[in-house]
């Protein structure tokens, strides 16, 4: 895989790269359990975000309920002290046959992008869980980072501007994940390094999908809004942060 070519548009899109201070903390083996645990939860939250967009904006109830059923065992395990399911078996059950349908071309584009994204994020969730188990890291619930809330705080409150802003926020979150996987990979053991680099292609595509959907739904050019959220995102990444998480800022 040509990593520099893949990363180039991501790095041009983001307004800053990950600070070295975060990488220094992330490469400490003592912080690996926290890093992988937060990564696991981030994959599920990415799938939840995609599901909420489909349910809120386009899905028929039957299609939305089917998507909800995909996520439930993961949510029960991660957030509700539920038993750990067989993630490999769950992964095989996810098929495109339950895709919600709509007559709206933009809605169908959203569904197609988001259903693929949900499938990929749930697959990554299972892969992170496997990496944790291989290193005897138990799953323990942790608090969320300020990053996602900090982005969503800037979302406008009336439609379609809310939708446009949410899509742009999601684009930045996916792009930052991609940049961090690449920045972190050289410091990880061989297996984790290979895994993190394998995630780059899908994350790079996800951010572009979100941006394209945002522009399609807007009657005006979204460049100014994209730039605005780029500044917000960079501010969160470069500011001191009391908590260490996958998307946290400079360790305080």
């Amino acid at each position: 895989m040509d990593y520099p070519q893949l990363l180039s548009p991501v790095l041009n899109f983001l307004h800053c790269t990950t600070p070295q201070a975060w990488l220094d903390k992330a490469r400490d083996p003592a912080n690996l359990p926290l890093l992988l645990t937060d990564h696991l939860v981030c994959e599920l939250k990415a799938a939840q975000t995609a599901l909420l967009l489909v349910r809120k904006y386009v899905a028929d109830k039957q299609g939305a309920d089917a998507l909800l059923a995909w996520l439930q065992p993961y949510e029960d395990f991660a957030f509700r002290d539920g038993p750990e399911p067989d993630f490999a078996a769950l992964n095989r059950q996810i098929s495109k046959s339950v895709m919600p349908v709509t007559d709206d071309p933009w809605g169908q584009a959203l569904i197609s992008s988001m259903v693929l994204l949900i499938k990929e994020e749930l697959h990554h969730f299972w892969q992170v869980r496997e990496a944790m188990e291989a290193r005897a890291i138990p799953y323990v619930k942790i608090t969320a980072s300020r990053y996602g809330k900090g982005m969503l705080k800037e979302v406008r409150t009336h439609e379609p501007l809310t939708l446009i802003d949410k899509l742009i926020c999601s684009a930045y979150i996916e792009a930052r994940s991609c940049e961090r996987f690449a920045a972190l990979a050289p410091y990880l053991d061989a297996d984790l390094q290979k895994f993190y680099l394998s995630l780059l292609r899908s994350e790079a595509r996800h951010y572009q999908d979100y941006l394209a959907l945002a522009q399609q739904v807007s009657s005006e050019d979204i460049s100014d809004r994209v730039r605005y959220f780029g500044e917000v995102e960079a501010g969160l990444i470069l500011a001191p942060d009391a908590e260490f998480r996958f998307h946290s800022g400079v360790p305080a």
Side-chain angles (χ1 to χ4, degrees), residues 125-146:
F125 178 101
W126 164 48
Q127 289 177 295
V128 178
R129 187 68 189 116
E130 280 196 316
M132 291 171 71
E133 287 176 328
R135 290 158 184 77
I137 298 170
Y139 175 71
V140 179
K141 278 196 277 194
I142 57 171
T143 54
S145 74
R146 60 170 194 180

Side-chain angles (χ1 to χ4, degrees), residues 6-7 10 14 173-183 196 199-205 207 246-247:
L6 196 66
L7 279 169
V10 174
L14 294 169
I173 294 168
E174 295 287 341
R176 178 60 61 192
S177 298
C178 186
E179 186 265 348
R180 287 227 154 147
F181 291 143
Y196 270 35
L199 299 174
L200 297 185
R201 192 179 294 285
S202 58
E203 302 300 313
R205 192 188 68 254
Y207 101 85
F246 203 89
H247 291 97

